[in-house]
Amino acid sequence: MKRLLAIIIDGLLGASVGALIERVIVPALLDTSGAADTSYALLASGLGAAIYIIAGLAAKSSIGGVSLGIDTPEGRSLRTVSHLGWLTLSVFIVGGWIITAISPIEFFSGDGLAGAGRIFQALITPEFDIIGEAVSAMIVTIFTAFMATVVAVPISFLLSFPAARNVMSETPLTKTIYVILRVILNIMRSMEPIIWAIIFSVWVGIGPFAGMLALVVHTVASLTKQYSEQIEDVNSGPIEAISATGASRIQVLWFAIVPQCVIPFLSFTIYRWDINVRMATIIGFVGGGGIGTLLTQYQGVAKYNEVGTLVILITAVVWILDVVSARVREALR
Amino acid sequence: MQPLLSVRNLTLTYPNGYQALKGISFDVMPGEFLVIIGLSGSGKSTLLRCLNRLLEPTTGSITFNDRDITHIQGEALREHRARIGMIFQHFNLIPRHSVIKNVLYGALGATPTLNAMLGRFSDDAQRRAQEALQVVGIPEKAEIRADSLSGGQQQRVAIARALMQQPQLLLADEPVASLDPSTSHSVMSYLERINKEMNTTVICNLHFLSLVRQYATRVIALKNGEMVFQGSPHDITDEWFATIYGEDAVEVEIR
C-alpha cells in the first residue's frame, strides 16, 4: 500500500518536472510563449513520470519511498535518489523563477527605485489630519474582532464537546457525529476568512457586520478545534470519580471536564481575539469595514501620506495587543 | 445471611481483545473488609470498576442487594453507582475547586442536573458535607483549593466525597499506592473506621501484604485475570505468596 503511494509520489514529481521543462523552461530559453499544442506537455509529463518510476524501481528505492520512510537507500541507489532529488529541486527553482516573473532588472531600475522612494517618503511623513477618522475606523475594527469573538465563544464551547473524541467514543452513533463534525470544521477552517468576507459582503452588504460574520465562522472553526483538543487532553481520573458518584452525563462534563479546561479555554480565546483584530484589518480590504476599508480607499486614490498614518496606527495597535495578550496568557498559566 | 454482592463467572474482554477477567466468582457479606491483591495488570482495577459498573462485563453476572446489575443502563445505572462510593490511587479530585465543593460532588447523583450546575445543593447535602469533613478530620480545610492539600489530605477529601453518597459499599482502588508509609496507615485507619463504625462494606485493592494482614477480614488474590486464592489474610503462606506474585518476589514490609 505504502509502496503504491510512493510510486504515485514519484510519478507526480516526474510529471511535474517534465511539464515544467516543456511548458516553462524551454519556451523561456527559446523566447517563445509556449507551444500551443497540449499533447507535447502530456508527452513530457508522461516521459518524466516514467523516468522517475522506472529509476525508482531499478534502484529499489525512490524519493517517494524515502519521504514515506519505507526506503533507506545506500551506495548506488542512494546516488540515483540524490541525483533525481537535486534534478527535481533545480527544475522547480528555475521553473518557479520564471513563473513568478522574478526580475532583478525591474527591482533595481531607476524608475522603480524612484517610485519606491516616493512611497516610503510618504509613509514616513504621515498625514495626521485624518487621525480622528483613522482612530474611529480602528475602533470599528477592534470591535468587529471583539464581537466576532464574543459570538463565537459560546458556539465553540457547545460544539467542542461533540467534537472531542473522548466524549464521543461511546457508541457508533456518537462516533459518527464526531467524525462528521470534525470534517465540517476542517472545511470551514480551510476557507480563509477573506473568502467568507466576500460571501457575507454580498449577503448582508459591505460593512463591519459582514466582516464580523466572516470572523465568526472562522473563529468558531478554529476555537472549536482548540477547545476540543483540550478536552481530549483532560485527565480521565476526575471523569471516573464524578461518574462513580452516579452523576449524569451533563454533570460529568460540567464538573469533571470543564474545570480542567477553563484556563486553557480563556487563553485560547484571548489569543483568538488578538488574531481576529489582525484578520479584521485584512478583511476590511474586501468590504469588511473598519480600518482596512479606509486603507483601501486612500490607497486607491494614491494618498500615501494618509496610508502612512493608517499603517502606523495598525502596527501600533497590533503590537500592543500582541504584548498584552501574551502577558495575560502568561499570567493565566 | 444474604450476601451484599455476588459475582459469578465474570469475564471482561477489552475492545482490543485483551482478556482482563477470566471467570471470577465470589460473594461479599455485609460488613466485610475484603482486600484484593495481585500484581499490576492482574485485573484488580478492572474487577473493581465492574462492581460499580464504570465498566460493563462481557459475560457472567453481578448481583448487588439481590438485583442483577450486570448490564443495567441509564437511570438505573446512575442509581446503582450512587449507592457505591469509590476512592482512587490518584484521589481524582477537581483540582481548582474548593475542598467543600469536592465533597459536595459526592451528592451529584442525588441532585438534579441543573441545580447542581448552578451550585445549588440541598441544605441536607451541605450539612452532611461538613460532617463528612469532620469524620476525616479536616473541617478547617473546607474553603481551601483541593490541589493545595498534601496527598494524604487529598485522599481524605476523596473519602469524604465517597461518604456523601452514604454508600452501602465502598470501593478503594490502591488508595495508598501514591502515599508515604505513615500517611498510608492514616488513610487505611479511616477506611477501617468507616467499615467498623458505619458498618460500610469495603472492597479494597492493595499492594502491601503487611497492610493486608492488618486491615483485611478476607483476601482474594488475582493472577492474570483469574482468582488464585481466597481466604483469611493469615492463610497467605510463603507458597501462596510465590504463586500470587511470582517465584522471585520478596515481601516488602510497610509499618
Side-chain angles (χ1 to χ4, degrees), chain A residues 17 27 45 56 59 75 88 93-94 126 131 192 222:
Chain A
V17 167
S45 309
T88 312
I93 289 176
V94 173
I131 194 74
E192 284 293 322
S222 307

Side-chain angles (χ1 to χ4, degrees), chain A residues 89-168:
Chain A
L89 188 63
S90 325
V91 169
F92 276 25
I93 289 176
V94 173
W97 180 287
I98 297 166
I99 288 173
T100 45
I102 292 176
S103 164
I105 298 162
E106 274 175 38
F107 193 83
F108 292 112
S109 76
D111 276 1
L113 285 179
R118 273 200 310 281
I119 286 201
F120 279 121
Q121 181 83 40
L123 290 180
I124 58 170
T125 53
E127 175 54 75
F128 279 116
D129 279 358
I130 62 151
I131 194 74
E133 190 187 8
V135 167
S136 51
M138 191 74 235
I139 290 172
V140 170
T141 296
I142 291 174
F143 276 95
T144 304
F146 177 69
M147 287 315 292
T149 316
V150 167
V151 172
V153 162
I155 303 174
S156 308
F157 180 80
L158 291 177
L159 285 178
S160 64
F161 292 96
R165 194 185 295 116
N166 55 343
V167 176
M168 302 300 278

Side-chain angles (χ1 to χ4, degrees), chain A residues 53-307:
Chain A
I53 292 170
I54 291 167
L57 292 177
K60 293 211 167 37
S61 59
S62 68
I63 301 176
V66 171
S67 59
L68 291 176
I70 52 175
D71 287 343
T72 44
E74 280 168 16
R76 267 182 66 95
S77 43
L78 179 61
R79 265 203 303 284
T80 310
V81 172
S82 93
H83 285 330
L84 279 180
W86 281 113
L87 174 69
T88 312
L89 188 63
S90 325
V91 169
F92 276 25
I93 289 176
V94 173
W97 180 287
I98 297 166
I99 288 173
T100 45
I102 292 176
S103 164
I105 298 162
E106 274 175 38
F107 193 83
F108 292 112
S109 76
D111 276 1
L113 285 179
R118 273 200 310 281
I119 286 201
F120 279 121
Q121 181 83 40
L123 290 180
I124 58 170
T125 53
E127 175 54 75
F128 279 116
D129 279 358
I130 62 151
I131 194 74
E133 190 187 8
V135 167
S136 51
M138 191 74 235
I139 290 172
V140 170
T141 296
I142 291 174
F143 276 95
T144 304
F146 177 69
M147 287 315 292
T149 316
V150 167
V151 172
V153 162
I155 303 174
S156 308
F157 180 80
L158 291 177
L159 285 178
S160 64
F161 292 96
R165 194 185 295 116
N166 55 343
V167 176
M168 302 300 278
S169 61
E170 212 140 290
T171 67
L173 175 70
T174 54
K175 271 185 207 157
T176 314
I177 296 173
Y178 159 82
V179 170
I180 292 172
L181 192 57
R182 272 292 169 108
V183 168
I184 294 174
L185 288 170
N186 283 338
I187 294 171
M188 273 168 68
R189 216 176 44 255
S190 315
M191 272 175 80
E192 284 293 322
I194 201 155
I195 295 168
W196 289 110
I198 292 168
I199 294 170
F200 283 116
S201 63
V202 173
W203 190 337
V204 301
I206 284 176
F209 186 42
M212 192 205 90
L213 288 174
L215 285 178
V216 166
V217 174
H218 195 258
T219 305
V220 165
S222 307
L223 273 187
T224 305
K225 178 162 190 280
Q226 283 182 302
Y227 285 0
S228 59
E229 277 167 358
Q230 188 63 38
I231 292 173
E232 287 173 357
D233 231 33
V234 298
N235 177 0
S236 64
I239 299 178
E240 262 197 324
I242 297 293
S243 305
T245 67
S248 67
R249 227 163 207 297
I250 310 249
Q251 285 176 331
V252 173
L253 292 182
W254 186 256
F255 290 103
I257 296 179
V258 172
Q260 297 190 58
C261 297
V262 170
I263 299 295
F265 278 19
L266 258 179
S267 168
F268 293 145
T269 307
I270 291 168
Y271 187 46
R272 188 46 61 179
W273 178 45
D274 178 12
I275 292 173
N276 277 349
V277 171
R278 285 178 238 185
M279 282 191 172
T281 309
I282 306 295
I283 278 174
F285 296 165
V286 295
I291 200 150
T293 303
L294 198 62
L295 185 68
T296 41
Q297 283 166 7
Y298 281 116
Q299 183 257 329
V301 292
K303 289 188 166 178
Y304 289 111
N305 301 81
E306 282 78 356
V307 170

Side-chain angles (χ1 to χ4, degrees), chain A residues 237 240-241 243-244 247-248 251 255, chain B residues 49 81 92 94 111 113 116 161:
Chain A
E240 262 197 324
S243 305
S248 67
Q251 285 176 331
F255 290 103
Chain B
R49 280 164 177 72
R81 285 177 179 167
N92 294 352
I94 311 304
T111 310
T113 299
R161 174 173 66 190

